[in-house]
Amino acid sequence: MATRRLVKNIFGDRSSLTLRALLREPEKKWTLVDLTKEGISISLASDVLSKAEARGYVERVIKGPDSYTRLIRKDVLLKDWLSEYAFEQNDQSYYLTTDKNFLKTCVTYLKQKKKAFALTLYSASRLVSPYVKDDRHFIYLDVRRDEFPVFLKTMEAQLNLYKLVQGGNVCFILPFYRSSIFRDSGTITGFPVVSRLQLYLDLMPFPPTGTEEVEHLA
């Protein structure tokens, strides 16, 4: 008889899909059926909700077929999430470009290669409402882990990029939250950007001015 694997970290990749749904519609009374429509299994959603209730994030009302879950402590949930996640959990590769129109050039290239991507950090925030002066580009790429180094090597040659150990003005990112980054992304002025929640999670702890940028966006 197979045993169901319990969720160890509700802020993990697949587990966080439940929390992302709750935060997207914080006033909604969520049922397990609602969450399955988000692509989450009933067992996973139920386990995450049980742990979220234990932490005080949600209220669960058990009334047979009318049972539901409601988010009640959004601020605490976000605070705890920030203590469990950091942008450094993503695989990152840094480059230098001297192309003043790099973003448009890069977007054209990625579309030609039919690769999904999404802007984050200051690349995204300056499209919403620029505040902190930071012209770096931060781009999530939807490529397999084993494909990432080879794909980047090709981009170096095609886009005239200079590989750096750190620093630079271009950062390509293989996402930790692979299940949600591209699924939940939206579009601003024609550019794909991460969800507002993901932008908050990426920016808030990002040194040295991420918190300042978040406060402006809020």
Side-chain angles (χ1 to χ4, degrees):
M1 189 173 179
T3 57
R4 181 168 65 89
R5 181 180 297 177
L6 296 177
V7 173
K8 292 183 178 180
N9 178 14
I10 64 174
F11 301 107
D13 180 26
R14 292 291 303 173
S15 304
S16 74
L17 294 178
T18 299
L19 303 178
R20 291 173 187 275
L22 297 178
L23 286 164
R24 191 177 67 246
E25 296 185 59
E27 304 301 322
K28 181 174 179 174
K29 296 179 178 179
W30 288 86
T31 66
L32 287 176
V33 173
D34 291 331
L35 291 169
T36 61
K37 296 176 182 178
E38 299 285 323
I40 309 164
S41 70
I42 287 181
S43 60
L44 177 60
S46 180
D47 201 9
V48 171
L49 291 178
S50 292
K51 288 179 169 57
E53 181 183 29
R55 290 177 175 230
Y57 306 149
V58 302
E59 171 191 45
R60 302 188 77 189
V61 176
I62 308 302
K63 297 194 300 184
D66 297 320
S67 299
Y68 66 86
T69 299
R70 184 172 63 90
L71 182 62
I72 59 173
R73 299 180 73 192
K74 174 183 176 180
D75 291 345
V76 177
L77 169 56
L78 289 173
K79 180 182 177 181
D80 288 353
W81 200 331
L82 286 173
S83 70
E84 296 286 342
Y85 167 76
F87 185 72
E88 288 71 24
Q89 288 174 255
N90 302 290
D91 289 347
Q92 304 162 51
S93 191
Y94 287 88
Y95 295 86
L96 176 67
T97 180
T98 57
D99 183 358
K100 299 298 183 182
N101 296 307
F102 172 76
L103 188 56
K104 290 184 178 180
T105 303
C106 182
V107 166
T108 299
Y109 177 83
L110 292 172
K111 287 182 176 179
Q112 289 174 347
K113 294 297 181 179
K114 297 181 179 180
K115 293 295 183 182
F117 62 97
L119 307 182
T120 190
L121 291 173
Y122 302 106
S123 293
S125 65
R126 62 176 168 256
L127 294 177
V128 179
S129 179
Y131 183 66
V132 172
K133 179 64 175 177
D134 192 311
D135 296 327
R136 289 177 292 174
H137 304 287
F138 296 90
I139 307 169
Y140 280 112
L141 294 179
D142 187 14
V143 298
R144 299 191 315 270
R145 184 170 297 278
D146 61 344
E147 180 189 5
F148 192 50
V150 177
F151 187 77
L152 291 179
K153 197 69 178 176
T154 303
M155 289 187 73
E156 286 181 44
Q158 295 294 320
L159 303 183
N160 296 316
L161 294 167
Y162 301 93
K163 184 75 175 73
L164 301 174
V165 176
Q166 60 183 2
N169 55 3
V170 177
C171 177
F172 292 112
I173 315 146
L174 193 66
F176 173 76
Y177 286 121
R178 191 173 185 84
S179 298
S180 56
I181 290 290
F182 307 105
R183 187 197 71 165
D184 296 346
S185 65
T187 303
I188 300 178
T189 63
F191 293 102
V193 299
V194 296
S195 68
R196 298 300 172 89
L197 170 60
Q198 189 61 49
L199 181 56
Y200 173 83
L201 294 173
D202 285 345
L203 263 177
M204 191 64 178
F206 196 79
T209 55
T211 300
E212 185 179 348
E213 185 81 336
V214 167
E215 291 172 352
H216 167 72
L217 292 175

